[in-house]
Amino acid sequence: MPTSTADPRPRTDRTVRTLGTLTAAAFALALAARLVVDAYEARAALPVQVTTEPPLDPYPIVSTLLAEVAVAGVGAGVLLFGALLVVVVRRSHRHAIVPWLVGGTVLLALTSAAASVVASQQTTFVGMSEWSTWRTALAGLATACLPAVCLAAWRARTDRAR
């Protein structure tokens, strides 16, 4: 009698876990770099010590480099988030995910618009730039959701056509 080669254990989806882990790692890198930039800028604002040697000022280079690492981390996180959503929609056979995905995308877009309004009402450069950063991040996440929303809508349409 032939034996079954089927694995009795359910297969776990490593792609979703891997993309989720990479997305979280990219956002954690961005957050850590941003915190280091803030700490470095606070240290640079301390009183200057008077010495007889000319100061070596690595502040602009280090601060810019750390800010670029933070921006790269956010960019990678947003792209990985979009890929993660596409994989989840592609592997999901439940139609209940579509309203949640569309609702989340609309919520991200609306909060991005609200952050833009708040940014335009700020009177300081720091306040305006921080709210603009939130606006850009939320708009990026909403945009990253669009391929998954389109895939979900396409799948729902094909399922209805059958």
Side-chain angles (χ1 to χ4, degrees), residues 46-139:
L46 293 175
V48 178
Q49 295 178 348
V50 178
T51 63
T52 57
E53 297 177 16
L56 175 64
D57 191 14
Y59 169 74
I61 296 169
V62 173
S63 181
T64 303
L65 179 67
L66 288 171
E68 288 172 356
V69 167
V71 168
V74 168
V78 167
L79 292 174
L80 287 166
F81 178 72
L84 174 66
L85 288 178
V86 167
V87 168
V88 166
V89 167
R90 205 173 122 234
R91 296 184 189 265
S92 174
H93 297 291
R94 289 179 250 130
H95 296 289
I97 197 169
V98 177
W100 286 102
L101 186 60
V102 171
T105 304
V106 168
L107 183 65
L108 284 169
L110 289 175
T111 53
S112 172
S116 180
V117 169
V118 172
S120 69
Q121 295 173 349
Q122 296 297 310
T123 57
T124 65
F125 177 74
V126 173
M128 185 271 310
S129 64
E130 287 188 6
W131 279 102
S132 295
T133 301
W134 278 107
R135 175 206 60 210
T136 304
L138 291 168

